[in-house]
Amino acid sequence: MTAFELIPVIDLMGGLVVHARGGSRDRYRPLEGSCITASADPVALVDALLALHPFRTLYIADLDAIRKTGDHKSTILALRAQFPELGLWVDAGFAAECACRRFLAAGVGDLVLGSESQDDLHLLSLLRAEPRLVLSLDFRGDTALGAPELFGAPELWPERMIAMTLARVGSGIGPDLARLTGLRGLAPDKRWFAAGGVRGPDDVLALADLGCAGALVASALHDGRLAAGFLARLQ
């Protein structure tokens, strides 16, 4: 199997990697019980991920920045320095042009614009031509999070799109194939990445058959359902 990219996710809160479950961030706790590492330290975890498989890209969710309780800028810079060949997709609750321009100018990685942090189309309109932009359309259940107009403006969407179903994160109930089908129908020319609910190889194959470019994963890596043998088939 080729042309499908699995992107591991690390969720940062209070300086540690936390286990995301269902989008209820106040209840997230430091990662434990992983079959690939005993540490919740971000650098140690990324080391373990790359020992498992030569991933090309890492998705970083700075939950403190998203919740406006702090940030992990120094941690992200440390990861950039430690793993210079690894592409970083960073969601740090970007909601202002100045913060976006600073991040892009620093050359840290690609900027993930989460719909949940947007009040209108203004920022997306300003950044639409930026090749390092990734747009995440965020959902909690059937509720679209953020500016409603974002979800109906495919003419502004960048090449890379994430369909983020927060209620399915860490849930083990599978990706939302129906929602992905609907979104791909609005913009079939975009590269779509599924986020939330991927349980193992069968879900990866289903997403690939659907025409997705890849998926964001965490729990299925830590519990061993996405093991090295299967990951090697994606190279």
Side-chain angles (χ1 to χ4, degrees), residues 83-99:
F83 307 102
E85 302 302 316
L86 185 62
L88 302 182
W89 290 11
V90 179
D91 182 354
F94 295 106
E97 182 184 6
C98 57

Side-chain angles (χ1 to χ4, degrees), residues 8-53:
V9 174
I10 63 170
D11 293 280
L12 300 177
M13 185 184 294
L16 298 174
V17 178
V18 295
H19 192 172
R21 293 180 186 273
S24 300
R25 292 165 180 155
D26 290 341
R27 296 203 294 268
Y28 290 1
R29 295 295 179 264
L31 180 70
E32 60 181 13
S34 171
C35 69
I36 62 173
T37 181
S39 176
D41 174 75
V43 172
L45 175 53
V46 176
D47 254 332
L49 287 167
L50 294 178
L52 176 69
H53 180 74

Side-chain angles (χ1 to χ4, degrees), residues 176-219:
D176 192 337
L177 299 179
R179 173 163 288 132
L180 281 158
T181 299
L183 290 171
R184 286 195 71 251
L186 292 175
D189 58 320
K190 308 300 183 184
R191 298 180 64 221
W192 286 93
F193 294 82
V198 173
R199 296 164 291 193
D202 288 346
D203 286 335
V204 171
L205 295 173
L207 290 168
D209 287 344
L210 193 64
C212 292
L216 277 56
V217 292
S219 295

Side-chain angles (χ1 to χ4, degrees), residues 46-99:
V46 176
D47 254 332
L49 287 167
L50 294 178
L52 176 69
H53 180 74
F55 294 104
R56 301 192 304 272
T57 309
L58 175 73
Y59 181 101
I60 301 172
D62 185 341
L63 299 181
D64 288 352
I66 291 170
R67 299 186 307 156
K68 297 181 172 56
T69 60
D71 65 65
H72 290 84
K73 291 177 182 177
S74 60
T75 300
I76 295 168
L77 288 173
L79 291 170
R80 170 77 289 144
Q82 184 78 13
F83 307 102
E85 302 302 316
L86 185 62
L88 302 182
W89 290 11
V90 179
D91 182 354
F94 295 106
E97 182 184 6
C98 57

